Amino acid sequence: MYPVWVYAIAKDEGRFVNRWMDSMSEADGVYVLDTGSTDDTVAQLRGRGAQVTVEEISPWRFDVARNRSLALVPEQPGICVCTDLDEVFHPGWRKALEEQWRPGAGQGRYRYTWSFRPDGGEGVVFWYEKIHARQGYRWVHPVHEVLQWTGEGTPGETVTLAGIQLDHHPDPAKSRAQYLPLLELAAREQPDNDRCAHYLGREYFFHRRWQDAIAALKRHLSLPSALWPDERAASMRYMAQAYANLGEDGLARVWFHRGVAEAPHLREPYCDFARFLYERQEWDGVLYLCRQALAITSRPQSYICQADAWGSLPWDLAAQAYYQTGRIPQALDMARKALEQEPEEPRLIRNVELLAAMAGKG
């Protein structure tokens, strides 16, 4: 079997070193590019056996840093595993990788939990592809960087690596302020790149820059390469919410409808629209959209996946709508199912207690 190497970038992440090195210990080698830590990250990593190079990347770009860290890995056939120090593999990942990797493969996709709820349950979950063959790949885009094939001919197949689970436990105090200027840079560098256009519009939305978000997301939808329904629907959903925040309810409804029509196989468009109607007390609409959402039982494997759509939200909204329309038994049933998703949530517990009392089933 090929050797397996882990590589990463790091800066001021001393609190994560031991946990990360424990998780990555199944690899044949660990290579880290430290980009200017002022804490003991470098000393800790070296003390645990990682090979560390210190280099400042200026101006900062994630793709440049990733490529410099990849360059630290030996130049011979092997499998590269790119992670960050706030990520942790479940034990046994090396064995699962060796059992499923095939000669000639290019990348491996595995399950990634990007966020967790306060009660410890999974939040956003999707499948990642940061395991790859040593030769023929480089990172592109200043932020939200991805692997690009640069070798001769066509890249090898992407292998699905069942049983490999990577968890993300980030530092909540770490700022993401650098993301917006880097996304604006990415859009300038590659104005026809649909992925960069969508991410920029989404970032404007996160910053509550509603008009900028709408303009960027419309540009995303206008690009000839913007063909993926899931991402198109996400742009439409963000636009709808931006219009709602601007008080343009009519345009918000148009884009919510378009988002549902674009990706009727996803829960997220239905849930966002249902929440909009809930805020306007349109109970029959809420019930219809929640039923449509709950009929979808296969969670998407892409990053177009919102934690609330796969948690208590659709059950909870349906319970509220049934209650508001006087259907207490149905409301109780939905409330109990919402509580099953988040059994420690005080508000959901109280909802069940109150509805049970009203239904005479306390």
Side-chain angles (χ1 to χ4, degrees), residues 113-144:
T113 302
W114 184 82
S115 67
F116 291 86
R117 300 195 307 261
D119 65 2
E122 291 186 325
V124 174
V125 179
F126 53 92
W127 286 65
Y128 229 4
E129 299 175 347
K130 291 172 68 175
I131 294 176
H132 61 94
R134 175 64 182 89
Q135 284 80 23
Y137 288 92
R138 72 181 182 97
W139 293 92
V140 295
H141 305 317
V143 65
H144 294 309

Side-chain angles (χ1 to χ4, degrees), residues 137-208:
Y137 288 92
R138 72 181 182 97
W139 293 92
V140 295
H141 305 317
V143 65
H144 294 309
E145 62 281 11
V146 295
L147 284 164
Q148 181 183 74
W149 171 251
T150 59
E152 297 180 0
T154 58
E157 67 173 317
T158 297
V159 179
T160 297
L161 301 169
I164 294 184
Q165 170 68 43
L166 184 65
D167 293 340
H168 182 220
H169 298 285
D171 179 358
K174 184 167 286 189
S175 171
R176 56 175 289 144
Q178 61 188 333
Y179 279 38
L180 181 54
L182 289 173
L183 283 165
E184 290 173 329
L185 173 61
R188 291 194 300 271
E189 289 182 345
Q190 294 185 283
D192 296 329
N193 186 289
D194 56 279
R195 182 178 180 275
C196 292
H198 171 74
Y199 273 117
L200 176 59
R202 188 184 73 164
E203 197 70 18
Y204 282 137
F205 178 84
F206 292 159
H207 284 262
R208 303 178 65 84

